Amino acid sequence: MQTTFTDTQALQGRLRLKILGLYNQAHAGHIGCSLSCIDLMIATLILRKREQDTFLLSKGHAAASLYACLNQLGDISDEVLATYYLNGTTLPAHPAPNKHRGIPFATGSLGHGLPIGSGIAHASKLLGDDARVYVLMSDGETNEGTTWEAAHYALQNGLDNLVVLIDKNGLQGFGNTADVLGDTADVRKWEAIGFDTVEVDGHDVDGLLGVIDQVNAAPNGRPKVIIAHTVKGKGVSYMENRLEWHYLPMSPAQYEQACADVTERYLTTIPNVAERTTVY
C-alpha cells in the first residue's frame, strides 16, 4: 500500500481520536499504552501485513488500539465498535479470541504473545509458505521468562519469518522499566542471543515502514526484533511520559483537552480532516 506523509499523519490523528472516544465512552484506563503503540500498528497491521500474515497484539491491555485499527480495515463495524466495554460485547478490555477476524488469540496476560507467534512462525516454515508473523510487545513484557524461552525457540528453529516489535516507552505498571528489572528491552541483549535487531523512532510511520521492509528483505535464518522508542500517551500533552496514564480514565474536561491536542498536532494542517470523530 502506497501512502504519503499527509495520509499517515491523518491516520495517526484519526485513530487517536477514535481510541480516545472509546476510552471516554467506557470511562476506562490503559489510554497511555494504546497511544504509545498505535503508530506501530498503523505501520504493521494496516500498511504492511499481508493476507497470509499474522499480527498478534501481545500487550493486550492496549486492545482499544487494536479495535480501532481493525475498524479502519473494515474487520470491525462501527456498530460493533460502539459496544466496546459494554456488557455482552465482543470487544472487552483485553482481546477475546475467535470473535473477529484479526484476533486469533486472547492476549493481555503478558508473556504469551511471543510463544504463540513463534509457534505460528514455525508452522509456516514447516508448511513451506511465505507467511510472516508480527508480534507487538511492551518493553515491560520483556521481563517475562516466557518471552526469553520463546526467543530462544525462535533462534533454534531459524524463524526468520518472525518479526518482534517492542513498544519501548520506558514505563510499566510499577514505574520506570529500568528501575523494575532493568532494561530487558535493551538492543544489546537481543543482539547477544542472535536476533537481527534494529532501533527506530516508534512514532515515525515512514521510518517504521522502512525498517519493516529492511528486516523482511533478509531471510537469513535469524528472527528479527524492531525496538521502537515511543512515548507513553503520545499526542496528548498531559499524558506524555506520565505513569498514571497507564491506569487512569479521563474526566470530560480531560477528554476535551486530549481531542484538542490530537487535532492540533495531527490534523489542523490537513484540509478536510480536522473534524472530531463523534460516533463513540
Side-chain angles (χ1 to χ4, degrees), residues 44-55 73 75 101-102 124 129-134:
T44 51
L45 179 56
I46 294 178
L47 297 178
R48 281 298 181 266
K49 178 185 173 293
R50 304 167 302 166
E51 182 68 24
Q52 68 268 38
D53 297 337
T54 299
F55 176 89
L73 290 168
D75 294 333
R101 175 183 160 132
S124 293
D129 63 36
D130 71 340
R132 300 182 185 121
V133 180
Y134 298 97

Side-chain angles (χ1 to χ4, degrees), residues 6-258:
T6 300
D7 293 332
T8 55
Q9 182 180 327
L11 194 55
Q12 288 175 288
R14 282 175 161 163
L15 290 183
R16 279 178 166 81
L17 290 180
K18 193 163 289 190
I19 290 165
L20 290 169
L22 291 173
Y23 281 119
N24 179 62
Q25 166 195 297
H27 195 62
H30 290 317
I31 307 167
C33 10
S34 289
L35 296 177
S36 71
C37 71
I38 184 59
D39 301 319
L40 292 166
M41 297 178 70
I42 290 170
T44 51
L45 179 56
I46 294 178
L47 297 178
R48 281 298 181 266
K49 178 185 173 293
R50 304 167 302 166
E51 182 68 24
Q52 68 268 38
D53 297 337
T54 299
F55 176 89
L56 296 173
L57 177 66
S58 190
K59 50 172 287 183
H61 51 289
S65 58
L66 176 61
Y67 302 153
C69 287
L70 292 176
N71 173 252
Q72 174 70 25
L73 290 168
D75 294 333
I76 293 176
S77 69
D78 290 344
E79 292 76 18
V80 171
L81 190 64
T83 70
Y84 172 65
Y85 235 85
L86 299 179
N87 286 339
T89 186
T90 57
L91 304 176
H94 291 70
N98 302 319
K99 301 295 184 182
H100 297 283
R101 175 183 160 132
I103 309 178
F105 296 96
T107 57
S109 181
L110 297 179
H112 289 179
L114 189 52
I116 294 169
S118 295
I120 296 170
H122 195 185
S124 293
K125 285 288 188 182
L126 294 173
L127 290 170
D129 63 36
D130 71 340
R132 300 182 185 121
V133 180
Y134 298 97
V135 179
L136 174 54
M137 304 193 308
S138 65
D139 50 356
E141 189 172 1
T142 62
N143 292 172
E144 299 282 353
T146 49
T147 293
W148 293 99
E149 181 181 358
H152 283 281
Y153 179 91
L155 286 159
Q156 181 67 22
N157 289 285
L159 304 183
D160 53 13
N161 57 339
L162 175 67
V163 180
V164 180
L165 301 107
I166 298 177
D167 173 14
K168 191 173 183 180
N169 63 39
L171 293 169
Q172 61 190 93
F174 297 113
N176 295 318
T177 54
D179 298 333
V180 178
L181 285 183
D183 185 5
T184 51
D186 185 348
V187 65
R188 293 169 296 182
K189 289 181 169 67
W190 292 86
E191 287 175 343
I193 66 169
F195 270 65
D196 280 350
T197 61
V198 61
E199 295 183 88
V200 67
D201 178 348
H203 301 298
D204 176 1
V205 174
D206 289 340
L208 284 163
L209 293 174
V211 299
I212 291 167
D213 292 343
Q214 172 189 327
V215 300
N216 283 335
N220 56 7
R222 294 194 297 272
K224 326 297 181 186
V225 63
I226 297 170
I227 297 176
H229 296 274
T230 62
V231 175
K232 200 177 200 81
K234 177 68 173 180
V236 178
S237 58
Y238 64 85
M239 292 187 190
E240 290 189 353
N241 287 316
R242 301 290 300 185
L243 175 62
E244 59 265 33
W245 290 103
H246 188 89
Y247 298 108
L248 290 178
M250 294 174 288
S251 69
Q254 286 171 326
Y255 173 58
E256 291 293 324
Q257 181 60 54

